[in-house]
Amino acid sequence: MAKVYFSEDHEWISVEGGVGIVGITEYAQEQLGDVVFVELPELGTEVEKGDDVAVVESVKAASEVYSPVSGEIVEINEDLAEAPGLVNQHAEADGWFYKIVLSDETELDDLMNRKDYDAFVEDLD
Amino acid sequence: MRYLPLSADDRAEMLDAIGAASVEDLFCDIPADVRASGVFDLPDHQGEMAVEQAFSALAQKSLSPACAPTFLGAGAYRHHIPAAVDALIQRGEFLTSYTPYQPEISQGTLQALFEFQTQVCLLTGMEVANASMYDAATACAEAALMAARVTRRKAVLISGGVHPHYIDVIRTQLAFTGIACDRLAPDPLGIEDLLGRVSPDLACVVVQTPGFFGGLSDFSALAAQCHANGVLLVVAVAEPVSLGALKPPGEMGADIVVVDGSSLGMPLSFGGPGVGLFAVREKYVRNMPGRLVGQTVDVDGRRGWVLTLSTREQHIRREKATSNICTNSGLCALAFSIHVALLGDTGLAKLAEVNHAAAVALSRKLAAVKGVKIVGPAFFNEFAVMLPKPAAEVVEALAAKGILGGVPVSRFYPSFPELENLMLVAATETNSDADMDALVAALKEVLQ
Amino acid sequence: MIEGQVFPSVPAGTVTGNRGLVVEEPLLFEQGSVAGSGVDLPEPRDVPDGLGGFRRTTPIGLPGLSEPQVVRHYTRLSQKNYSIDAGFYPLGSCTMKYNPRLNEKLARLSGLGDLHPFQPISTVQGALEMMHSLAVWLMELTGMAGVAMSPAAGAHGELCGIMAIRAAQEAKGNPRKIILVPESAHGTNPASASLCGYSVVAIPATSEGRVDIAALKEKLSDEVAGIMLTNPNTCGLFERDVREIADLVHAAGAFFYMDGANFNALIGRVKVADLGVDAMHINLHKTFSTPHGGGGPGAGPTVLSPALVAFAPLPFVRKTKDAFELVETRAQAGEAAHPFGRMKGFHGQFGVMLRALAYAMSLGKDGLRQTSGDAVLNANYLLARLKDVLTAPFDGPCMHEALFDDGFLKDTGVTTLDFAKALIDEGYHPMTMYFPLVVHGALLMEPTESESKQTLDVFIDTVRGLAAKALAGDADFFHAAPRLTPRRRLDETLAARKPVLRWRPDVAD
């Protein structure tokens, strides 16, 4: 059973068997507005936790996406090239960005669970 | 003062509404001693007539190419501009409008720029063009930076056939970025070996056709070599009229094409303002600098245009932008576009033929002058001649006879003695047979 | 092709989609055949062809149109543009002032506008004198030691200034790593610093909208190469502590770049040299009235302090005893000069400089002082007469522009953007929106000295009327605006998701 974690930069990561699926949260997509382009990392890239690995663009804004964990990028969501709107429609499902093989699962301890993240977002508004 | 509508009464009423005693009070945040220091050794205002007289006097102090047979090129070419071009760009709706950030009230500028982008693609044989850059030299520098972004490499190679100003601007702009810049020696004969220097370390190779010394090149083999090494090929064109006759860089495999557009639609104006055209392969569009106009629809479903992909730009990306530029060369792009629209396919092709034939005719006349040698391979409307004495002296002597006969290469390369006697000569549709004969006669006298 | 077929949706209710003077106009490429041309050229001379294998083998694909077709096309396009000739642009930070027609006439004089950049220097003395004269005006108006004339625009001038700073730091032995930039800065500032290899560190603003001196002190170090400070700042406020800022920066061995985008508020009143400035660009298309042209060309001459002037880029004009020289190479520049390079082809934006000089001479030192006075008076008048209905985040007096936030729209369902779009229907270009970023939903208004009191009064009444309408709960009215323009709100998401950046034959519809 996959377990989902959240970062203060509004990324989510769903981890199962040492592999994480990363995307931006529902809250983040609402803030951005209509997503028009997602620049994804290259396959095989080794990233450190906190690296800017992707850029998500709306008409009037561009935001860096910081990797919530360290590891190697093993898959990217090719569908986003044709349909960046998936990020708006299903931010926390079909609108995922990349899959990463975690190099240090203890990094997950620094992230929030759903309940804590919801409270975190509540405080921002 | 004719540009200022407020009357003394207006000012008093407005100060009253504000609750300030004087205009000076509104400047109270500026330290008083700084304000007091504002004493200027400058004249007071003048009427329109007086200013006009002053500028007329300045104009008299120069030799206008309109009054002298002129064969100057070196990246700036004198062409006839149809009267309609200047009349249209002086319409206030074009001349005095702002950048089209509010598309509902800027469709005129936006549609014109969309057409401009399309014309640039057609002329260069490329897939996407932006809404223009300051000039070709800065556009070359932007191209080198863009190539470094795309390839994530830190070195560029510049051909010795590229305009020395373009080379200098590239070098200046890259100086502080950590990108190494290797430029080859000036190459009037077109014999440098670029193919052998292409390596997988390079972000791009920058070349030019027609070259600074006039020579023509087909870069197809170079493009293939570049692509085999993951290197981008940047092709510069200083004379856009040549695109009416020559194979476009896009067909040679160029990845980025930069053109100096100022040959078409705008006066020489001592070299500025001009316009840089910038076109790329579609796959690189998000790494491209400069503004882009895109087609879309309005809420009623009608076709319209907007500035788009602006997340690349400085006002959104700030230090991560593709460039720091926030302006293009809008009115010059419009002038270029109107001139190209007037010419059309057949007009531009014919203009190119007239230019080429003029240069061929002139080269034959000059080749017959004792001591003059035409240098280099095939050319379009400009070529280099080797003279029996320093070109700078010859040019000054010709000017004294009222002829603007050429550009001495030593003006750009003063430390290359082998180039001291080399002069660039251009001919366009503006040169009559009488002009050419005057140049030949004067040159004979000067070289005696 | 019939125009009505190109534009299927016809909200105007006319057969064509046209609305009186506003006529639908197809693209150039949807008109004409390839064969025609609007230019009659002489026949080429009968000489052997020298192009051979370099020849183009495919047609270009441009349409061929006659002169009247082209003139009508662009005339119709022009009628879809707003312009300063036709109306008021309260466009903060952009300085949309009147563009005198005398300047256009002079730029076209034979002997100035038609000079070739590489004529022998002896034949262009008038042109060099013109450039030198403008340089003298700019140095005297700012009190600075020198001026780099070649930058092509404001952002290019910023780059020039930061490059000069970098060159000066390198000459001292260490380029350093950081440029400080206040949060409220134009986006060009961090972008320019980044191009010079510097990392950008932001300085926060105080609740008064000015630089936080305590924060500045904290960030200054021996790794800071310089600061870029817009003054008056983008909130329309003069940085009162500017000299303390300059002193702190200089004490840290750094340089003070003042972004001169808003120099029009100071002209004829303050010599920026007295503020401790080391470099400042001047947007000739703002302060000196040269036309915006729908987005350029501009020019950004950059004045320099004695510490930086030796690093000014090539080329520059030098006055000798009896003539003007154009210094184009390092060899010519001499040993005392250390130009950091060349920024632009040829000699800079000559035609723009010429217009600026004509403007300066027309107004003179007395008139230029009057322009800054009237510009600041007009802005304060807007602030005074609107601050009871709009919300002003900072107290006045302001300088040349008045800043409001969207507090007055709270709970109305109307955004700053909606409000601005409603102004379009009333015949105005909107104010600058959502800039500066330090204020929520910013509305930044810059009336300039070109507007009469009557124009401002009618505008004020219009804004007050719209504010009342928003507060009365008529949000739908704002959401539907503009209604009366050649096009209504355009789908920018579609444009960015599926970019169509050129016409192609197969997507003509």
Side-chain angles (χ1 to χ4, degrees), chain B residues 37 45 296 303 328 342 345 350, chain C residues 38 61-62 274 295 366 487 491:
Chain B
S37 75
H45 69 279
T296 186
R303 180 173 70 172
N328 57 345
L342 281 163
D345 236 79
K350 187 168 178 185
Chain C
L62 299 167
D274 296 338
D366 54 334
R487 286 292 178 272
D491 187 343

Side-chain angles (χ1 to χ4, degrees), chain C residues 31-212:
Chain C
Q31 312 177 37
S33 63
V34 171
S37 179
V39 183
D40 293 324
L41 291 161
E43 291 307 312
R45 288 174 176 81
D46 187 15
V47 291
D49 173 34
L51 298 182
F54 297 108
R55 276 197 174 277
R56 177 187 270 281
T57 53
T58 51
I60 305 165
L62 299 167
L65 299 167
S66 65
E67 182 177 325
Q69 287 174 295
V70 171
V71 168
R72 184 168 292 165
H73 176 73
Y74 285 101
T75 302
R76 285 178 171 181
L77 292 192
S78 76
Q79 289 169 333
K80 300 178 207 299
N81 268 3
Y82 199 83
S83 66
I84 191 71
D85 275 2
F88 175 33
Y89 276 81
L91 196 58
S93 99
C94 300
T95 315
M96 291 298 286
K97 61 168 73 174
Y98 172 66
N99 309 140
R101 285 311 191 279
L102 172 65
N103 307 352
E104 295 306 308
K105 182 179 179 186
L106 301 182
R108 288 164 171 81
L109 286 178
S110 185
L112 287 168
D114 61 353
L115 295 178
H116 189 283
F118 300 128
Q119 291 184 214
I121 296 303
S122 61
T123 69
V124 291
Q125 287 294 303
L128 299 181
E129 183 178 342
M130 192 291 291
M131 291 168 73
H132 179 76
S133 298
L134 180 62
V136 168
W137 274 85
L138 298 180
M139 288 189 289
E140 181 61 21
L141 285 167
T142 57
M144 300 288 278
V147 55
M149 296 295 281
S150 64
H156 210 214
E158 287 176 23
L159 194 59
C160 175
I162 301 302
M163 282 185 170
I165 287 171
R166 172 130 189 167
Q169 294 287 18
E170 284 186 355
K172 287 198 282 179
N174 177 5
R176 303 189 172 199
K177 296 196 172 98
I178 295 165
I179 294 282
L180 301 177
V181 178
E183 280 173 347
S184 62
H186 294 111
T188 49
N189 288 177
S192 299
S194 170
L195 274 170
C196 295
Y198 286 118
S199 54
V200 173
V201 173
I203 312 170
T206 63
S207 58
E208 274 196 311
R210 293 183 170 89
V211 169
D212 184 333

